[in-house]
Amino acid sequence: MTDLVLSESLTAARRRLEAALADAGRPAGDAALLAVSKTKPAAMIREAHRLGQRDFGENYVQEALDKQAELADLGDIVWHFIGPLQSNKTRDVAEHFAWVHSLDREKIARRLNDQRSEDLPALNVCLQVNISGEASKSGVSLDELPTLAEAVLGMPRLRLRGLMAIPAPAETLVEQRRPFARLREALEALNARFPEAHLDTLSMGMSGDLEAAVVEGATLVRLGTAIFGERQRFH
Ligand SMILES: *Cc1c(COP(=O)(O)O)cnc(C)c1O
């Protein structure tokens, strides 16, 4: 992808998000764009950064660390870890990211909490919820969500921000909205149960279902393909 194409696709993605917010009757700027750069080269992240993008999402720890090293001169990138997280990678994530969206187990939370340096701000975390049942193996169930949330709220080096989901693909806007509505209701229920937590983040919506997510209250949409183009490499 050339720089020109990236500037066009990033502009188009920003317009698409603002149009979705307007259609949903929400204020401009009410949801932020997370650029999902997995499998894409550091040069593309640098170009997106030059165009004003600051939040980037990565799925694979080693790939992310390599790109972070290449981009170390850009001091103000906010790195989000959004992929499945294994125990043996928690230290790298605790040390090199500002956010984790894919937290779904207490054991992983404890490790991140123990490994997050006192020199860094608390690690922002979203709990990944398995909102479409059998569609995905990742994510905590709605039943187990309050217990996990309570545990994470007790961890001082983690700052619980909200919920994330990757629903099963659906064709129509109506079908796409259903799981996002469930995630919004789950966040509302947590805020009612833990009012001091002030959970403010719904990480939901990707290139194929951004509009449905925005109608249901997404505050952070995770766009990969729409910004960087199709991915060639699969892990
Ligand atoms: C890859 C990925 C995205 C981006 O998906 P696109 O369909 O390319 O926009 C968003 N969220 C997560 C968790 C991902 O793994």
Side-chain angles (χ1 to χ4, degrees):
M1 185 185 258
T2 65
D3 290 355
L4 180 63
V5 176
L6 179 60
S7 82
E8 285 172 0
S9 59
L10 185 57
T11 301
R14 288 171 174 153
R15 290 205 180 116
R16 185 178 163 193
L17 176 56
E18 289 310 315
L21 285 165
D23 285 350
R26 298 177 57 191
D30 206 34
L33 196 58
L34 175 60
V36 176
S37 44
K38 63 178 178 227
T39 81
K40 300 295 178 180
M44 277 180 119
I45 299 176
R46 185 178 294 280
E47 177 61 9
H49 176 275
R50 198 185 63 75
L51 297 163
Q53 180 65 31
R54 291 295 177 270
D55 289 272
F56 291 90
E58 290 282 342
N59 293 57
Y60 310 105
V61 174
Q62 191 53 52
E63 179 193 329
L65 297 185
D66 292 345
K67 288 189 239 180
Q68 289 174 351
E70 245 184 277
L71 299 166
D73 58 306
L74 306 178
D76 57 353
I77 289 190
V78 181
W79 293 102
H80 299 242
F81 188 78
I82 64 173
L85 183 49
Q86 262 82 53
S87 302
N88 60 346
K89 303 283 183 178
T90 53
R91 182 173 296 281
D92 286 328
V93 170
E95 288 175 353
H96 295 282
F97 286 82
W99 284 73
V100 173
H101 292 229
S102 43
L103 188 58
D104 62 0
R105 278 182 290 158
E106 185 173 336
K107 178 186 161 203
I108 298 288
R110 288 215 181 283
R111 292 179 64 92
L112 291 170
N113 182 62
D114 291 345
Q115 293 165 345
R116 182 69 166 179
S117 156
E118 293 290 338
D119 301 335
L120 295 171
L123 181 64
N124 295 293
V125 299
C126 291
L127 303 180
Q128 183 174 350
V129 181
N130 190 341
I131 207 78
S132 320
E134 61 296 317
S136 155
K137 274 189 258 138
S138 302
V140 62
S141 68
L142 280 174
D143 287 348
E144 290 163 30
L145 176 61
T147 307
L148 179 59
E150 187 164 24
V152 171
L153 285 169
M155 298 182 191
R157 303 303 299 140
L158 303 185
R159 180 172 171 211
L160 184 60
R161 298 296 298 268
L163 302 177
M164 182 274 237
I166 312 173
E171 292 299 318
T172 66
L173 185 71
V174 172
E175 289 172 83
Q176 288 177 349
R177 281 180 61 171
R178 239 173 252 136
F180 293 139
R182 281 204 294 277
L183 197 69
R184 173 176 45 73
E185 287 159 10
L187 188 79
E188 289 163 2
L190 285 183
N191 270 323
R193 186 155 170 171
F194 307 108
E196 71 291 351
H198 301 293
L199 306 178
D200 61 4
T201 302
L202 277 173
S203 167
M204 60 189 199
M206 318 202 315
S207 296
D209 55 15
L210 172 150
E211 284 75 14
V214 167
V215 178
E216 296 298 345
T219 64
L220 200 48
V221 297
R222 308 181 310 269
L223 293 192
T225 312
I227 295 174
F228 296 111
E230 295 290 336
R231 289 178 290 274
Q232 303 287 320
R233 184 151 56 91
F234 293 95
H235 289 247

